[in-house]
Amino acid sequence: MRGRRILVAIVGLAQGAIGVLTGFFVFLLYFDFLGVQAAFNVSAEHVPLFLLILSVFSAFSVISAFFLVHEGFG
């Protein structure tokens, strides 16, 4: 039982890191910092769609990670 709780906490931390990195990527994409839009060949008309999809993914990942970590350490 203890091993399962540790595994859940580790998976939660990894999922949270992925969510935060996705949120950071959304920031880079929105402000076109370091030429991210050109690097991924994203036209300006598609940027809002990508921002919406990635922001929702990031938010759900971070929320789910919070619950997993809470279950693992709680």
Side-chain angles (χ1 to χ4, degrees):
M1 189 65 170
R2 177 145 169 82
R4 180 186 176 275
R5 291 179 69 160
I6 292 172
L7 181 64
V8 167
I10 290 171
V11 169
L13 290 173
Q15 186 173 357
I18 290 170
V20 168
L21 287 174
T22 304
F24 182 68
F25 181 71
V26 167
F27 172 78
L28 292 176
L29 185 64
Y30 179 72
F31 289 109
D32 196 23
F33 191 67
L34 301 175
V36 174
Q37 290 179 7
F40 287 102
N41 197 19
V42 177
S43 63
E45 61 198 25
H46 292 112
V47 169
L49 177 65
F50 290 134
L51 291 178
L52 175 68
I53 293 170
L54 290 172
S55 296
V56 168
F57 175 77
S58 175
F60 280 133
S61 292
V62 170
I63 291 169
S64 176
F66 172 75
F67 287 120
L68 284 172
V69 169
H70 181 63
E71 180 183 337
F73 288 133

